[in-house]
Amino acid sequence: MVDMKSLINSIAEEEVIKLCQELIQIKTVNPPGDELPLAQYVSSYLKKAGLEVEQINHSPTRASVLARLKSPRKKPGLLFNAHLDTVPVGNEKWIHEPFTGEVAEGRIWGRGSADMKGGLAVLMIAVKTLAEARLPLQGDLILAITAGEEVDSIGATSIAGGKEIGPVQAVMIPEPSNNDVFIAEKGALWLEIATHGKTAHGGMPELGRNAVMMMIRLITELQKMVFPFKEHPLLGGFTQSVNTIVGGVKTNVVPDHCAVTVDMRTVPGQDHKAIVRQIENLISDLSQKIPDFKASVRVTNDRIPIESSPDEPVVQGFFDIVSEVTGERPVPKGVRYYTDAVAFVPVLKTPMIICGPGDATLAHQPNEYVEISKLMQSVKIFTLAGARFLL
């Protein structure tokens, strides 16, 4: 009989802090990514812990890691996922230097501490703890440590599409959630819409076709459009936001090009292709109504919404573990951000669970940190998850 209390009490806080600091100190800002040195660090750590490890190179400077704590495979495995990259630091001065992993006020500070090198440290410590305990696991514990989640999910897409993972009970991701549990995430459909005109001298605008004015009309009509959706109990509704605009070359030149980017967040039941067709039809309608109107639309990011049923046994079992560790039973929730689950869940056809030590409101912000107390809770949650679901 495995003594779970002794197992989680064996985890040393100092070791967790030190590992999280070392992960933060290896810069993996994306763009450009530069995840290779951290992938090598993670690979070495997991090999020493006794896992079978494969480093997957995407370029001379970028890599992901696929590792496996092997078993007789009498049960489906578990897939733990974390990403290596972070967003840029920004121009604002930080209270603590962003790549030192300084410890102060019961927190570890630095870029990626919340999103999600704290979560990565959790997975590495949890799997090391399970490996050293030599538990008779009946299913494989698989770690997919990925490059590029902050931009294009190059690592998750490569692993999900090109590696044999095998059946798994769930994909578990310690993205920032304050150790709350999320089982649904919105989809993302990013569009670049461009209008195409003709240059002319600013003093003779009648000789040109003004792409900026075309875009004004197009955006006005876009904001009036209705994109059908059904309100989701955990995710709410569909949203769209025009977030960048570029047009023109000079004050005295009629602009021949204007482009906007649109961020659409979708909910289950919506069809991304149908949304694009609606916008293409809008462009067609405007070209019939406005002389010389010309526009185009291009998809730059396409991630479907993901949801898991709260009634899934693995979800309820995970709720039990979180309740045991934190003292509070979670209420299932959804998130507006997306994760690498969008690459894994459709391929593996398995539930997704997000639960991590970081605070989501600190992600991508200056002065990012992770609470050490939350970090320790998370290590216990994932260690128990590995043991309970795989024994």
Side-chain angles (χ1 to χ4, degrees):
M1 186 74 175
V2 178
D3 184 349
M4 295 294 181
K5 188 172 183 180
S6 296
L7 182 68
I8 61 175
N9 285 343
S10 70
I11 300 168
E13 183 176 291
E14 296 78 10
E15 182 183 0
V16 179
I17 292 171
K18 183 173 183 292
L19 177 60
C20 187
Q21 289 178 301
E22 289 175 353
L23 299 180
I24 291 167
Q25 288 162 6
I26 302 174
K27 295 182 184 180
T28 52
V29 172
N30 192 10
D34 292 333
E35 297 97 339
L36 179 61
L38 185 52
Q40 291 170 331
Y41 179 100
V42 172
S43 294
S44 174
Y45 182 99
L46 296 178
K47 283 178 184 175
K48 287 177 184 175
L51 276 72
E52 179 183 277
V53 179
E54 179 183 1
Q55 183 176 298
I56 301 159
N57 295 325
H58 309 298
S59 79
T61 59
R62 309 192 69 189
S64 298
V65 178
L66 182 62
R68 190 180 294 264
L69 183 57
K70 299 187 80 172
S71 74
R73 299 190 182 180
K74 294 179 181 178
K75 279 186 174 182
L78 282 180
L79 179 66
F80 287 176
N81 165 238
H83 62 84
L84 298 164
D85 58 326
T86 73
V87 296
V89 170
N91 296 320
E92 186 174 335
K93 185 171 176 57
W94 287 43
I95 298 170
H96 304 278
E97 287 299 313
F99 296 109
T100 59
E102 187 172 342
V103 175
E105 303 169 50
R107 302 163 175 171
I108 305 173
W109 298 75
R111 176 51 85 218
S113 52
D115 183 18
M116 64 174 298
K117 289 182 177 178
L120 174 57
V122 162
L123 298 188
M124 293 168 68
I125 295 286
V127 73
K128 178 173 176 281
T129 301
L130 292 168
E132 290 178 346
R134 300 188 180 279
L135 301 181
L137 301 183
Q138 299 302 299
D140 287 1
L141 181 52
I142 305 153
L143 272 68
I145 311 302
T146 55
E149 189 269 354
E150 296 290 0
V151 175
D152 57 6
S153 290
I154 184 175
T157 302
S158 176
I159 292 171
K163 300 296 177 181
E164 179 57 44
I165 293 174
V168 296
Q169 299 175 50
V171 175
M172 298 181 177
I173 307 177
E175 287 275 13
S177 75
N178 274 324
N179 292 335
D180 210 344
V181 181
F182 300 131
I183 59 171
E185 64 182 52
K186 280 193 170 184
L189 179 62
W190 293 358
L191 305 175
E192 181 181 88
I193 303 175
T195 49
H196 312 282
K198 179 185 176 183
T199 58
H201 193 288
M204 295 173 278
E206 70 279 2
L207 298 180
R209 297 196 299 273
N210 193 313
V212 170
M213 299 308 294
M214 293 182 201
M215 184 60 74
I216 290 171
R217 179 66 183 274
L218 195 156
I219 292 173
T220 300
E221 296 301 322
L222 178 65
Q223 297 301 302
K224 296 177 185 176
M225 291 183 72
V226 176
F227 297 96
F229 71 90
K230 183 178 179 181
E231 193 84 7
H232 190 274
L234 302 182
L235 297 172
F238 167 83
T239 63
Q240 67 162 315
S241 180
V242 178
N243 289 341
T244 70
I245 183 167
V246 177
V249 293
K250 199 177 178 187
T251 303
N252 62 346
V253 178
V254 173
D256 65 347
H257 183 266
C258 185
V260 299
T261 58
V262 186
D263 184 343
M264 295 181 166
R265 301 293 167 134
T266 58
V267 295
Q270 288 188 287
D271 182 341
H272 288 190
K273 290 181 179 178
I275 291 172
V276 175
R277 283 196 300 271
Q278 276 188 259
I279 295 172
E280 289 172 339
N281 290 339
L282 169 62
I283 291 170
S284 179
D285 290 344
L286 289 174
S287 67
Q288 298 295 319
K289 295 174 183 176
I290 303 171
D292 297 323
F293 180 92
K294 188 177 180 182
S296 59
V297 58
R298 182 171 69 93
V299 176
T300 60
N301 191 8
D302 188 356
R303 302 178 188 234
I304 63 171
I306 302 290
E307 63 176 336
S308 304
S309 169
D311 299 325
E312 289 275 1
V314 68
V315 173
Q316 288 297 319
F318 195 87
F319 286 170
D320 291 341
I321 291 169
V322 174
S323 177
E324 181 180 332
V325 172
T326 67
E328 294 184 21
R329 188 169 184 83
V331 176
K333 296 182 177 70
V335 292
R336 296 183 181 184
Y337 59 73
Y338 55 76
T339 71
D340 275 341
V342 73
F344 292 114
V345 170
V347 173
L348 299 174
K349 302 189 186 317
T350 191
M352 167 204 74
I353 296 170
I354 297 171
C355 178
D359 182 340
T361 65
L362 297 173
H364 303 191
Q365 296 288 327
N367 303 313
E368 184 181 352
Y369 62 81
V370 63
E371 299 276 357
I372 294 171
S373 60
K374 294 284 187 182
L375 204 60
M376 294 307 298
Q377 281 185 345
S378 185
V379 173
K380 293 174 182 178
I381 289 167
F382 277 86
T383 303
L384 287 175
R388 293 257 172 88
F389 291 117
L390 295 177
L391 280 173

